[in-house]
Each structure stands twice: as C-alpha cells, then as structure tokens.
Amino acid sequence: MSCTIIVGGFFGDEGKGKIVAHIAHADEPVIISRGGVGPNAGHTVQVGDHEYSVRMVPSGFVYKKAKLCIGSGVLVDPRVLKYEVETLGVKGRIFVDKRCGIITEDHIARDKGSAFLSKKIGSTGSGCGPANADRVMRISPQAKDVPELAEYLLDVPLAINNALKGGQTVLLEGTQGFGISLYYGTYPFVTSKDTSASQIAADNGVGPTKIDDVIVVFKAYPTRVGEGPFSTEMTSEKSDAMGIQEFGTVTHRKRRIGGWDGKMARYSAMINGCTQAAITGIDRIDKACFGLTEYSKLTKKAKDFLKTAENDICCPITLISTGPELTQIIDIRKEYA
Ligand code: IMP
Ligand code: MG
C-alpha cells in the first residue's frame, strides 16, 4: 500500500499537475483524488503537443486507468465540472464526494463584486472565498443536494481507505501553494483555506497515519498571481529579459516572477512534512537542461542549484522537471527508496 500527497511549496502554479501526471503513469494508482480549495486552481498538463487545463478534474486524469475523485473538503462548481467532464471524456471514472461544498452563481457574483476580494486580495473571482464562508456559516448546499451531481456521488474517503486497506496505491493531489495558505501564508493575501499536506489529507478523509510520502513541489523561479508580499520578486524587465513570462490558467493574469527563496522553501517543507521534493523549471536555471531525462546529463550549474535547494529544503530532491511535457522529467525516487 502507498498513499502519497503532492502539494505546492511556494505560491501555487509550481507545476504540480505535471508531477502528479508523471507519478500516476509511473506508480499506477487505483485512485487519484483531489484536495485543495476548488475551481480557483488551474493545472496544466502537456502530453505530446496537446496542452490540457483543468480546474475541477484531478490533473492525474491523463493517466487513464485511475478512478478520479474530488475529496469532501473541496468546493465544486457544477458548471465547471460538467464542462470538464464532457471535454475531457472522463465520464464513468470521475466521482465527487457527497459532502463537497457547492459554488453558486451568487458566490461568484459576491467574489467578483467585492472590491476587497477582487482588488485588494486579487482573488480569482471563482466564488471560492464566499462559498467557503457560507460553508463555515453552515448555510451552503452540499453535492448531495444538487440533482446534476447525482450520477457522480461517492463516499470518497471510504473508497480511498478501502483501497489502502487492500494494499493499493492512491495519490492525493493538492492545489494552490504554501504561501497562499489561509493559516501559514501571507495573510490576508491568501486563499480561503489551508493548503498544506495535512489539509489535503483531511480534504480526502485520510488520517495522518495512512500517509507514506509527502512530495512538495518547488519552482526554481517561483511565481505569484494576485496581490501580496513576494520577497524574492524581480522586476518584469528582468524576468522578461530572462525569457520568463507566465500567465494564470484561470484568470490569464500575468504571473509575478521571483528568485529561489531558500528560507521559504525550508519553512514550507517543514510544515508540509516533506519526505521528498520535486523541482520544476530546472531548464530555466540552465537552458541546456531542457528535456533531459537522466540526472547524470544535468549541467554543473543545474546540479549546483539542486544542491543548494536540497540544503534549504532538508529533503532529497527526487523529481526534476526539465520542460512542460509529461515525459520531460528526471525521476530518481528509486535511489532513495
Ligand atoms: P481566491 O482563492 O480566488 O480567493 O484568491 C485568493 C488569492 O489566492 C489570490 O491571490 C489568487 O491569485 C490566489 N490563488 C488562488 N488559487 C490559486 C492557484 O491555484 N494558483 C495560484 N494562485 C492562486
Ligand atoms: Mg495553477
């Protein structure tokens, strides 16, 4: 049996989707289940020339043999879910926990209509903040109250715990990143829930004793969308000159770009209970690393960076992403097993 949690170590958009998709193909889990806030998340996964973007469906969907679940703690926007289920063709293997909180048009209107949320915090406007507020006030509907969701309902924690009891492999997919955790991030410039590994376990109804590994994903050059402190941020002139330009998956806003933050990485690894780390964007440290799949072929510059990062994180770096495509990755997890 093995249960692995994958979470973001910086401000989100670390490339978790691609890491989840790779691990899914390598480890063949029976269930991939999502935790995290809701459709404010945007994950992209590139397979060959095709780029997929998801907000509700777990990014592990590209691995076709797993059951895909949305854990009890996650907010579901039935319209976004329906659109993704249809366009991605995942009907029949996607399930929603009956207790998930529901995002209504009213939540979206309140999110977009609030100058505090939409301007000062820079929310994604997806209704998550107001929906979580209503959930805490115990007035929001649950998935089991929504007729269109009837065909997807499942007791997700029960399915996951049964799979683990049967010795099977499960992946728990986190969203967002450590720096925008409601508890540990740069409050008030944060999202509406904790985003750390413990929360992802709780979102899926999996107790802490059942977790074998926590993989924290860090970006060599972290990014942030929305407002709030970002201590290693560089000017957009500098990041443009370095050829780094990124746009949000959900809001299409230009992402702010920063340098490696060792102090934040260490603190984030600690709170997440990191057992192994993944680094994405190593090809930005040295272009010569683009697309590599073997550790020995990495350049000295890249290896030096990884050594520094490993010292900061205090955990082995076992996954190194060398480009956006699914197969552009170095996986040395076996060497640490
Ligand atoms: P909200 O979660 O839509 O309320 O937005 C609150 C803050 O979290 C804003 O700064 C958003 O840009 C940020 N945020 C929420 N979800 C994500 C994500 O998946 N990636 C990156 N930033 C996010
Ligand atoms: Mg994203």
Side-chain angles (χ1 to χ4, degrees):
M1 142 195 147
S2 108
C3 188
T4 299
I5 296 180
I6 295 132
V7 285
F10 285 139
F11 295 99
D13 309 308
E14 297 91 354
K16 292 178 290 296
K18 183 249 175 87
I19 298 293
V20 169
H22 163 75
I23 293 178
H25 285 92
D27 296 6
E28 307 188 329
V30 290
I31 298 178
I32 302 170
S33 192
R34 237 203 80 170
V37 184
N40 51 350
H43 288 165
T44 39
V45 188
Q46 194 188 321
V47 183
D49 293 333
H50 198 92
E51 194 178 278
Y52 299 94
S53 294
V54 285
R55 293 171 57 194
M56 288 279 18
V57 168
S59 36
F61 81 91
V62 293
Y63 171 67
K64 300 214 163 52
K65 288 190 247 165
K67 191 179 262 189
L68 306 167
C69 295
I70 300 181
S72 329
V74 179
L75 295 167
V76 170
D77 183 330
R79 293 151 294 242
V80 177
L81 180 72
K82 184 166 180 265
Y83 172 78
E84 290 183 5
V85 167
E86 280 165 11
T87 53
L88 302 172
V90 292
K91 207 167 197 148
R93 67 179 181 115
I94 178 137
F95 302 91
V96 174
D97 187 79
K98 55 190 178 182
R99 291 151 290 204
C100 286
I102 295 298
I103 298 181
T104 62
E105 300 276 8
D106 173 61
H107 293 135
I108 296 172
R110 276 155 60 195
D111 196 355
K112 290 184 176 158
S114 155
F116 177 74
L117 290 177
S118 69
K119 302 264 165 25
K120 178 149 195 260
I121 306 296
S123 80
T124 60
S126 53
C128 290
N132 268 335
D134 279 1
R135 200 175 186 186
V136 171
M137 294 303 282
R138 286 146 287 173
I139 54 172
S140 93
Q142 290 182 296
K144 65 178 166 53
D145 306 320
V146 180
E148 309 102 276
L149 294 179
E151 59 184 313
Y152 304 113
L153 296 186
L154 181 71
D155 186 327
V156 168
L158 187 65
I160 295 174
N161 282 284
N162 279 341
L164 294 174
K165 215 189 303 173
Q168 295 177 304
T169 296
V170 173
L171 287 188
L172 301 181
E173 186 176 316
T175 60
Q176 284 82 36
F178 180 75
I180 57 169
S181 159
L182 178 65
Y183 297 170
Y184 305 109
T186 54
Y187 188 89
F189 301 98
V190 292
T191 188
S192 52
K193 209 167 87 179
D194 179 27
T195 56
S196 70
S198 310
Q199 178 70 65
I200 304 306
D203 284 343
N204 286 289
V206 180
T209 53
K210 300 286 188 294
I211 306 301
D212 301 284
D213 261 311
V214 174
I215 298 180
V216 184
V217 185
F218 295 97
K219 222 168 178 173
Y221 285 97
T223 58
R224 177 163 199 164
V225 276
E227 302 306 315
F230 187 5
S231 60
T232 63
E233 183 170 14
M234 56 178 90
T235 60
S236 55
E237 287 77 28
K238 185 167 176 204
S239 51
D240 287 352
M242 289 168 72
I244 309 179
Q245 264 205 3
E246 292 188 23
F247 296 88
T249 310
V250 178
T251 57
H252 311 293
R253 289 179 291 188
K254 194 170 178 194
R255 291 182 184 148
R256 299 154 66 192
I257 315 276
W260 175 256
D261 186 341
K263 202 170 148 212
M264 181 177 179
R266 177 172 300 202
Y267 199 77
S268 159
M270 175 183 79
I271 290 191
N272 280 304
C274 180
T275 59
Q276 306 182 38
I279 296 283
T280 57
I282 198 75
D283 51 305
R284 284 176 172 171
I285 296 290
D286 191 342
K287 284 188 178 67
C289 298
F290 183 79
L292 294 180
T293 54
E294 285 168 59
Y295 186 88
S296 60
K297 300 220 167 113
L298 287 171
T299 60
K300 179 171 185 307
K301 195 173 169 195
K303 284 181 180 160
D304 286 348
F305 170 80
L306 291 170
K307 205 170 283 167
T308 305
E310 213 160 48
N311 280 334
D312 290 332
I313 300 165
C314 302
C315 261
I317 294 168
T318 55
L319 291 152
I320 302 146
S321 175
T322 58
E325 208 275 329
L326 178 64
T327 56
Q328 293 175 320
I329 192 162
I330 298 167
D331 183 345
I332 52 171
R333 288 179 297 156
K334 285 206 176 74
E335 290 171 29
Y336 289 88

